[in-house]
Amino acid sequence: ALLGHRVAVRSVPGRGSVFSIEVALAGEEAATLPVRPAMPAVPDAHQRAGAILVVEDDPDARELLVQVLKGDGHQVWAAADVPSALELVAKEGIRPDLVLADYNMPKDMNGLQFAARLRAQQKRPVPVAILTGDISSATLRDIAQQHCVQLNKPVKLTELTAVIQRMLAAAATPPQPAATARASSAAGRVGVVYVVEDDAQVRAGMRNLLEAHGRPVEDFPTGEAFLAAYRPGREECLLIDAYLPGMSGFDLLRRLDEAGHRLPSIMITGSSDVPMAVRAMKAGAVDFIEKPVGAPGLIASIDRALEQARDLGKLTAWRDTAARQVAGLTARQRQIMQMVLAGHPSKNIAADLGLSQRTVENHRAAIMKKTGVTSLPALARLALAAAPGESE
């Protein structure tokens, strides 16, 4: 997806799956591939330029980051490991505005440990972005708890540039006292995010992640605790675990709906079960996210939920767009889509409809292509937006 290649999969139940990636011959692509200038370019007038320290043990990745950052007008230093980076900082007297560090580093010290050492050495909260291919819950929690921003490898240049600009802008803005942040939230300028999660470490990690992105947060271990404290009237969004002790996430959504609270809610779960996604959105959730939760996707989902709650016209436009996309499907494709969202595997759908399994798989691929979605939970969101009043 990052490089624009076509990916396909062929799967035979009980035997296995074959994945293929189509790569054009070098001669066909050489004339069309864009080449980024290696020499530093004049930075965009609207972009901030900063002093950035890159700590990356892979020489090719390190050189690419240095070229890209210099091309964007930044002052850049680079090191291959943590000891070299600490020595460089001490020797050159560097005070970086931002650090980009790989998570897994040689010489028994990772990027997070470097962040802690550098911050202690310079006696200030140096902004740090951690680049990692590890998406385990433990790693994401550790990154969030250290108040670092996480970037998934391989990182897209547009995403990297956006994160750098956001972090540099945040570093240049004096921190807002908590009381002032809450007052701003109450005034409707910043939406407060409620986190309802029974795992204390995950809850703390999500709070740190959201606060690092400038979001005021209130967190609760149970649905009962949230309901006891909840007072409607602010611009707000709810992040809720599906399975909570006592009152479940689904029960909490029903209670809010029965009380007439139109609180935009996002359900989070460790399962990618599509019927669960459908159930969550029919219970009132506007989105459904799987753990481990990545910062870019979570922030985008929160922004989308708040925007639709703030502007009913945008919600109506989204529903109209979804309805048009679903209307573009054939009757057979709509029938298969409903069966897929109900959790039926292709083999069962084929038997019920008297079709071959290959035909069902072809219809599923066509459904995803026509609707423009890339996952079944996203398809569920689209289908429910197209027909919000449909009963289960």
Side-chain angles (χ1 to χ4, degrees):
L2 288 172
L3 300 176
H5 299 308
R6 184 173 180 269
V7 180
V9 59
R10 184 173 73 257
S11 184
V12 179
R15 293 184 59 188
S17 302
V18 176
F19 295 84
S20 65
I21 303 174
E22 292 185 6
V23 182
L25 295 176
E28 297 175 3
E29 288 292 308
T32 59
L33 284 175
V35 178
R36 188 182 182 94
M39 295 299 292
V42 178
D44 189 298
H46 300 290
Q47 288 190 343
R48 294 176 181 268
I52 300 178
L53 173 60
V54 175
V55 188
E56 167 63 67
D57 61 311
D58 184 307
D60 292 333
R62 185 170 66 249
E63 180 61 24
L64 177 61
L65 284 171
V66 170
Q67 288 190 21
V68 168
L69 295 173
K70 286 185 176 180
D72 286 340
H74 301 291
Q75 184 180 11
V76 186
W77 296 270
D81 53 55
V82 172
S84 300
L86 291 172
E87 182 181 353
L88 179 65
V89 168
K91 184 177 179 180
E92 300 289 338
I94 299 170
R95 289 183 62 82
D97 299 315
L98 174 67
V99 171
L100 295 178
D102 191 9
Y103 178 73
N104 293 310
M105 300 289 295
K107 302 189 179 179
D108 300 323
M109 189 175 292
N110 63 32
L112 286 179
Q113 292 169 317
F114 170 68
R117 288 278 298 273
L118 180 65
R119 287 166 173 171
Q121 186 183 80
Q122 301 211 339
K123 296 182 175 59
R124 62 190 182 96
V126 182
V128 177
I130 299 293
L131 292 84
T132 178
D134 185 348
I135 59 170
S136 66
S137 299
T139 298
L140 298 182
R141 180 170 61 242
D142 290 344
I143 292 173
Q145 288 176 341
Q146 292 295 325
H147 300 284
C148 296
V149 173
Q150 177 233 340
L151 285 168
N152 291 328
K153 283 186 169 182
V155 63
K156 294 182 179 180
L157 295 184
T158 52
E159 180 185 2
L160 177 65
T161 300
V163 169
I164 288 174
Q165 289 301 310
R166 184 172 66 244
M167 293 179 73
L168 289 176
T173 304
Q176 191 179 27
T180 305
R182 292 191 184 96
S184 297
S185 171
R189 288 189 291 273
V190 179
V192 65
V193 181
Y194 303 114
V195 177
V196 184
E197 165 65 61
D198 60 305
D199 187 310
Q201 287 187 315
V202 174
R203 191 168 67 248
M206 292 185 68
R207 169 186 274 276
N208 291 336
L209 185 153
L210 292 168
E211 288 182 340
H213 285 76
R215 307 304 173 106
V217 179
E218 296 179 18
D219 60 78
F220 306 88
T222 65
E224 290 86 348
F226 168 74
L227 283 178
Y230 178 58
R231 298 294 181 271
R234 295 188 284 181
E235 184 174 274
E236 53 205 356
C237 180
L238 172 65
L239 296 180
I240 180 172
D241 193 355
Y243 296 114
L244 294 167
M247 181 188 300
S248 72
F250 299 101
D251 294 334
L252 177 55
L253 289 177
R254 279 193 290 270
R255 289 281 295 274
L256 290 169
D257 184 64
E258 290 167 359
H261 299 314
R262 298 295 178 259
L263 174 60
S265 304
I266 300 166
M267 185 164 282
I268 300 176
T269 179
S271 168
S272 60
D273 184 77
V274 175
M276 179 186 287
V278 174
R279 182 184 172 199
M281 285 181 270
K282 286 188 174 180
V286 297
D287 209 346
F288 179 91
I289 299 178
E290 299 171 45
K291 295 178 182 177
V293 181
L298 180 61
I299 297 300
S301 183
I302 291 171
D303 287 343
R304 184 167 55 245
L306 289 171
E307 187 176 33
Q308 290 183 355
R310 190 184 305 123
D311 188 342
L312 291 179
K314 290 187 177 178
L315 177 59
T316 300
W318 154 240
R319 286 176 172 169
D320 289 344
T321 299
R324 284 195 302 272
Q325 288 175 296
V326 171
L329 303 176
T330 66
R332 176 66 85 188
Q333 287 168 348
R334 287 196 293 272
Q335 182 184 28
I336 290 175
M337 180 182 71
Q338 293 301 329
M339 297 178 78
V340 168
L341 296 181
H344 300 298
S346 296
K347 182 178 179 179
N348 293 7
I349 295 173
D352 290 343
L353 299 181
L355 303 172
S356 71
Q357 187 170 336
R358 180 180 293 276
T359 299
V360 172
E361 294 291 351
N362 288 340
H363 278 305
R364 288 183 59 159
I367 290 167
M368 304 296 276
K369 183 176 181 180
K370 284 185 176 181
T371 56
V373 300
T374 56
S375 68
L376 291 181
L379 181 63
R381 186 189 309 121
L382 183 81
L384 290 171
E390 266 190 20
S391 60
E392 195 171 353

